[in-house]
Amino acid sequence: MIDFTLSKAQQAARDYAHQVALEEMRPISLECDRTEEIPESFFWNMQRRFWGGAAAQARLQGQEEEVKQDNLLSVISQEEMAWGDAALSTAIPGPGLAAPPILAQGTPEQQARFLGLYMDGQLHWGALALTEPGIGSDVAGMSTTAVLDGDEWVINGHKHYITNGARADLIVTFATIDKNLGREGIRPFVVPKGTPGLIVGRIEQKMGLRASQTAELIFENCRIPKDHLLAGRGQSKKEGFKAAMGTLDATRPMVGSLAVGIARAAYETTCEWLREELPAGYPAHKRRAMEEELEEIRQEIEMARFLVWRAAWMADRRIPNSKEASMSKAYAGALVMKATATAVRITAPGENSERRQFLQKWFRDAKVFDIFEGTAQIQRLVIARRLFPQIDIP
């Protein structure tokens, strides 16, 4: 039975994340968005608060527990961080999106070797290189190749829209060992920063999440040791593709939680505007219509949150959650677009105050949640395939 009454530890984690968002993120949010830069002091503060010393050891050990709460704790905390600033949340030091495939597919020795890097008290990031130009969400159409040459893998290809790609110390890169095998040829490889042949291309200039680094990565005869192939569960034909899909099943609820956090921030700020800035003589029936719109959004925020929590709860118990992960991401992604668009429309009249600047920023940030970690169309396809397994859905 699922009980989403927060324990004392979960409530403490939520409160702490909200405090960090309020004290560390909101004060620099608009400036970081404007300049597309983040002060180094922010990274060190986040390293100290979330990933330093013993905290890193506890986090990694927690991943190994039979019944764990890491995914649920993460989405609870990430909602609060996105309430502060979703772009800054994605820039927090740590293995990030590199961790799920390493933990799922790496041998115990590989896990200790690669993830141990993040426990030395310094600033380190991780990244996941999955998306390629021209294939969008079609992971099976991947064109990046990996060829075994003696004791080394040689990787050639092109990845883009890689979060923290330019600063990452380790990049888990998905490539095919045989294009003729389609999805069955896909494998995950760990590529360290500075490897010859790993080239950082352009840093994207984006409409939203502007402070979040999104990089292009080019692999030109990039050679890595043979043991950088993640194959801890064996090398069955579908294992690499399963690793890619398993990573998305873990990260899609996280994306959903970020969307919920932004939607909640927009909702709360619009409610404040209604109480504090709406002219006293504004027609009562129009004010009531605004309040009804906001009440509907509040209900949808609650629904999105519980979809996210359910998917994370299942992931913690190793219950297959592809359908639930896609549901949480699709619903929250649509909600954040609706919530921020409504907020901008309702508060449009008046001067360009800091409150409106935040709402406009969140409106720009919201769009990507309909796109990354699989578009809304892909989420509906995943859901349909699991609701109707007897039908051959392409």
Side-chain angles (χ1 to χ4, degrees), residues 13-14 45 47 95 104 110 123 152 157 170 225 246 250 288 293 325 350 370:
R14 188 184 205 178
N45 286 341
Q47 165 69 17
Q110 286 177 320
L123 297 180
E152 295 181 316
L170 295 177
R288 182 56 190 160
E293 275 193 276
D370 185 48

Side-chain angles (χ1 to χ4, degrees), residues 8 72 140 156 183 197 214 222 232 313 324 336 382:
K8 290 183 178 179
L72 185 55
N156 282 280
R183 65 180 61 183
T214 308
C222 180
W313 181 91
E324 290 78 9
V336 72
V382 171

Side-chain angles (χ1 to χ4, degrees), residues 58 60 66 81 121 183 209 217:
L60 293 179
E66 184 177 352
M81 306 294 272
R183 65 180 61 183
L209 297 186
L217 298 176

Side-chain angles (χ1 to χ4, degrees), residues 173-187:
T173 303
F174 283 84
T176 178
I177 60 173
D178 186 344
K179 289 184 180 181
N180 294 324
L181 294 176
R183 65 180 61 183
E184 295 183 357
I186 295 172
R187 301 288 187 274

